[in-house]
Amino acid sequence: MNLAICPGSFDPITRGHVDIIRRAAKIFDKVIVLVLTNPNKNHTFDIDERRVLIEKALGKSDNIEIDSYCGLLADYAKNAGATAIVKGLRAMSDFEYEFQMALTNKKLYPGLETVFLTSSAENMYLSSSMVRQVALFGGDISPFVPPEILDDVHNVLKKYNKGGNE
Ligand code: PNS
């Protein structure tokens, strides 16, 4: 069985993430959407909130599971028996950082390939930080996040009134 991991901060999950996850699920037998901590970012939504939002956004699927992990992605992938990491690439600006992560993960666990899917054209500009910023200043985030989580994103941001960086 070919198991892939779609890792990320998902702070919060966007329509762009959902698109990449669903496309990955068509290529691989099984996909685990893995919520991780990015030490370079101050996450706005805590790890449980991010996980619940993903569950709501994706609904039930035969070959997609959701999990969260505090630690190295490579360790999780090795324990889970994953063969690939799938990430979306929006623009050249993503490339350097993603390339660095792919090579680091390969060094930590040589059995792991990183596969990049190009972002769909309509999602190329989307980012979680943009969603948070628009929501924080009362803008309409409905074009950017799945409809199932629209209210929850607003409610959590209202509760914390937090900013953060992507
Ligand atoms: O959505 P993001 O923030 O681009 O995802 C980055 C993420 C969370 C996948 C990355 O920071 C990560 O893998 N964090 C877990 C810790 C880890 O394994 N670091 C080494 C990989 S460079």
Side-chain angles (χ1 to χ4, degrees):
M1 185 188 64
N2 269 329
L3 169 65
I5 296 176
C6 287
S9 307
F10 304 109
D11 190 32
I13 188 168
T14 67
R15 286 176 186 252
H17 292 128
V18 172
D19 175 55
I20 296 292
I21 293 162
R22 296 220 187 277
R23 285 162 58 198
K26 286 185 189 158
I27 300 170
F28 292 91
D29 298 321
K30 184 176 158 190
V31 165
I32 297 177
V33 181
L34 188 63
V35 190
L36 290 157
T37 297
N38 183 337
N40 298 324
K41 297 176 180 175
N42 296 315
H43 298 303
T44 298
F45 295 80
D46 69 35
I47 201 159
D48 293 331
E49 287 167 340
R50 285 182 272 147
R51 190 176 165 158
V52 168
L53 289 176
I54 296 170
E55 282 164 3
K56 278 194 167 186
L58 294 177
K60 288 252 174 292
S61 166
D62 284 347
N63 69 336
I64 302 175
E65 276 179 24
I66 299 150
D67 201 3
S68 51
Y69 185 65
C70 285
L72 283 176
L73 170 56
D75 288 343
Y76 182 96
K78 194 172 186 176
N79 287 336
T83 46
I85 290 170
V86 177
K87 292 218 79 179
L89 268 190
R90 288 166 300 190
M92 278 305 286
S93 52
D94 281 345
F95 184 76
E96 200 176 332
Y97 168 63
E98 294 294 346
F99 195 70
Q100 205 178 8
M101 281 200 292
L103 291 179
T104 305
N105 286 323
K106 184 89 178 152
K107 187 62 93 181
L108 292 171
Y109 173 29
L112 194 61
E113 296 295 342
T114 297
V115 175
F116 293 110
L117 298 183
T118 48
S119 162
S120 297
E122 65 270 26
N123 298 324
M124 275 195 69
Y125 64 97
L126 268 186
S127 71
S128 299
S129 63
M130 189 272 297
V131 168
R132 292 194 305 271
Q133 207 174 115
V134 173
L136 206 61
F137 291 104
D140 177 16
I141 57 166
S142 60
F144 315 131
V145 300
E148 297 83 1
I149 65 164
L150 193 55
D151 291 342
D152 302 83
V153 171
H154 275 303
N155 289 338
V156 173
L157 286 173
K158 223 183 286 169
K159 192 168 76 184
Y160 293 131
N161 196 18
K162 289 199 267 182
N165 60 328
E166 196 201 359

